[in-house]
């Protein structure tokens, strides 16, 4: 079976940086396009970033554009989200997801999800 596990979350001050990691097991990650979503308390889940199966396209929400970079390392079966200049409004649980046939910003087109990792931006 396919499993995704996130890591790298934590508590950081405003202006700080984090790199989130997502490792795919049970299947080569080359089979999937990959995305990051987040959900803050009292809010709906929102799209953050995505990268296509062959890394030919990368996509970002307006809220993180210029501050976030999504990359992947196929030999490690991993995808990463580097976030800089973090703001309190970035506080959320961040989820990694995998899709075999996607509309990159639509969470309903993703087939597999990790359990999430908490990011808290606070002074």
């Amino acid at each position: 079976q396919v499993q995704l596990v996130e890591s790298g979350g934590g508590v950081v001050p405003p202006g700080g940086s984090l790199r989130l990691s997502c490792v795919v097991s049970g299947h080569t990650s080359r089979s999937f396009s990959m995305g990051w979503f987040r959900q803050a308390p009292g809010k709906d889940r929102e799209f953050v970033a995505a990268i296509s199966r062959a890394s030919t396209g990368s996509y970002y929400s307006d809220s993180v554009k210029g501050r976030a970079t999504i990359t992947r390392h196929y030999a490690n079966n991993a995808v990463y989200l580097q976030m800089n200049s973090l703001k309190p409004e970035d506080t959320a649980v961040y989820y990694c997801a995998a899709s075999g046939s996607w509309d990159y910003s639509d969470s309903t087109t993703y087939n597999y999800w990790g359990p999430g990792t908490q990011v808290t931006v606070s002074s």
Side-chain angles (χ1 to χ4, degrees):
Q1 73 280 7
V2 176
Q3 290 186 305
L4 280 59
V5 179
E6 304 96 338
S7 63
V11 180
V12 295
S17 298
L18 281 176
R19 189 176 78 153
L20 306 182
S21 299
C22 173
V23 176
V24 178
S25 62
H27 203 283
T28 173
S29 65
R30 290 184 182 271
S31 296
F32 306 110
S33 299
M34 303 293 297
W36 287 95
F37 294 77
R38 67 187 183 187
Q39 188 165 22
K43 298 179 66 177
D44 294 331
R45 184 171 296 188
E46 66 174 340
F47 167 74
V48 178
I51 187 166
S52 65
R53 191 159 52 191
S55 299
T56 54
S58 300
Y59 310 92
Y60 301 92
S61 69
D62 289 341
S63 62
V64 304
K65 192 169 297 182
R67 301 187 296 119
T69 304
I70 187 169
T71 57
R72 62 194 303 171
H73 195 290
Y74 296 98
N76 292 345
N77 252 17
V79 61
Y80 307 96
L81 181 68
Q82 176 71 41
M83 297 193 67
N84 303 321
S85 301
L86 285 162
K87 306 174 181 179
E89 53 262 43
D90 293 318
T91 296
V93 176
Y94 284 70
Y95 298 92
C96 178
S99 176
S101 181
W102 74 343
D103 180 356
Y104 69 84
S105 65
D106 185 353
S107 64
T108 67
T109 67
Y110 287 77
N111 306 105
Y112 305 100
W113 292 83
T117 185
Q118 176 71 48
V119 172
T120 302
V121 183
S122 176
S123 59

